[in-house]
Amino acid sequence: MGRHLSGNDGVRVRDVEVLSSDWYVLRRTTFDMRHRDGHWSTEQRETHDRGNGATVLLYDVARRTVLLTRQFRFPAYVNGHPDGLLIETAAGLLDDDDPVTAVRREAEEETGHRVGELTHVFDVFMSPGSVTERLHFYAGPYDAGTRTAGGGGLADEGEDIEVLELDVDEALAAIGATIVDAKTILLLQWAALSGPFAR
């Protein structure tokens, strides 16, 4: 991956090495890069490829609520989060699906709601300094009629997900305090600024 890139004539890939291939693929790439002043240098970067993903904010305009999840995230825990339990929008990797199919699957598995109409919000590189993942952002309405199951994720994949329904103003006020997940913050701010809860 990366050997045949041709979109930037100021970057010439020389070598790609696979360092690890487990839950994600870790590669070290050596490339020549032309700087703005015209000189060339040889650089090395490691990239973590875990695949692309999709996330969805479920909202109820009439009741002014959003449906979020809470689950244990070891990387956050080991990096200083008090208990590792993060409040998030439903999300997951695409695997072999297109983003819409994947986000519908993840929403139903995690929240127990079958999403109907979806709004594509934007696509974002979440950590472009080292992670290749592009995350596709969506939003969609939910209500009592969209519930098909209890949610909670897939036990055989080790998921143990709590479903949370929050008042949107409460969720917005929690940003930076109890809501510290980037994708969730982006979708909540979008919902308040130009989405379903914009005033």
Side-chain angles (χ1 to χ4, degrees):
M1 181 178 187
R3 290 185 186 274
H4 305 292
L5 294 173
S6 60
N8 184 339
D9 62 5
V11 175
R12 298 175 185 153
V13 175
R14 299 174 65 170
D15 188 39
V16 179
E17 305 167 75
V18 175
L19 303 179
S20 174
S21 181
D22 192 4
W23 187 64
Y24 57 79
V25 179
L26 174 62
R27 294 180 178 90
R28 178 171 52 220
T29 301
T30 304
F31 58 93
D32 295 329
M33 184 176 83
R34 184 175 58 220
H35 294 257
R36 289 182 296 155
D37 66 4
H39 87 275
W40 286 83
S41 66
T42 300
E43 308 288 337
Q44 279 192 333
R45 296 290 185 275
E46 291 181 1
T47 55
H48 300 260
D49 182 359
R50 59 186 300 267
N52 294 325
T55 186
V56 61
L57 176 67
L58 299 180
Y59 61 85
D60 184 331
V61 172
R63 297 172 54 238
R64 291 190 55 78
T65 57
V66 293
L67 205 59
L68 302 175
T69 65
R70 180 165 37 213
Q71 61 182 304
F72 179 71
R73 298 295 198 183
F74 183 76
Y77 185 49
V78 77
N79 195 27
H81 189 277
D83 59 13
L85 293 169
L86 265 60
I87 298 173
E88 307 177 36
T89 50
L93 294 177
L94 302 186
D95 296 324
D96 293 323
D97 291 326
D98 62 89
V100 170
T101 300
V103 85
R104 289 182 188 282
R105 177 191 71 229
E106 294 296 330
E108 192 161 9
E109 288 175 3
E110 294 188 7
T111 70
H113 285 261
R114 182 167 294 148
V115 182
E117 176 188 356
L118 281 172
T119 299
H120 177 249
V121 179
F122 39 60
D123 300 334
V124 173
F125 291 96
M126 296 297 289
S127 189
S130 59
V131 181
T132 61
E133 181 184 27
R134 180 167 45 199
L135 194 59
H136 304 272
F137 285 70
Y138 294 89
Y142 80 96
D143 58 31
T146 60
R147 188 178 184 106
T148 60
L154 300 178
D156 61 349
E157 292 185 6
E159 294 181 330
D160 182 14
I161 298 171
E162 179 185 2
V163 182
L164 303 175
E165 184 175 61
L166 298 178
D167 176 89
V168 67
D169 294 319
E170 177 186 345
L172 288 164
I175 289 174
T178 56
I179 295 180
V180 293
D181 171 67
K183 66 183 178 296
T184 306
I185 292 169
L186 287 168
L187 278 171
L188 286 171
Q189 291 182 335
W190 166 82
L193 293 171
S194 56
F197 300 107
R199 294 188 175 118

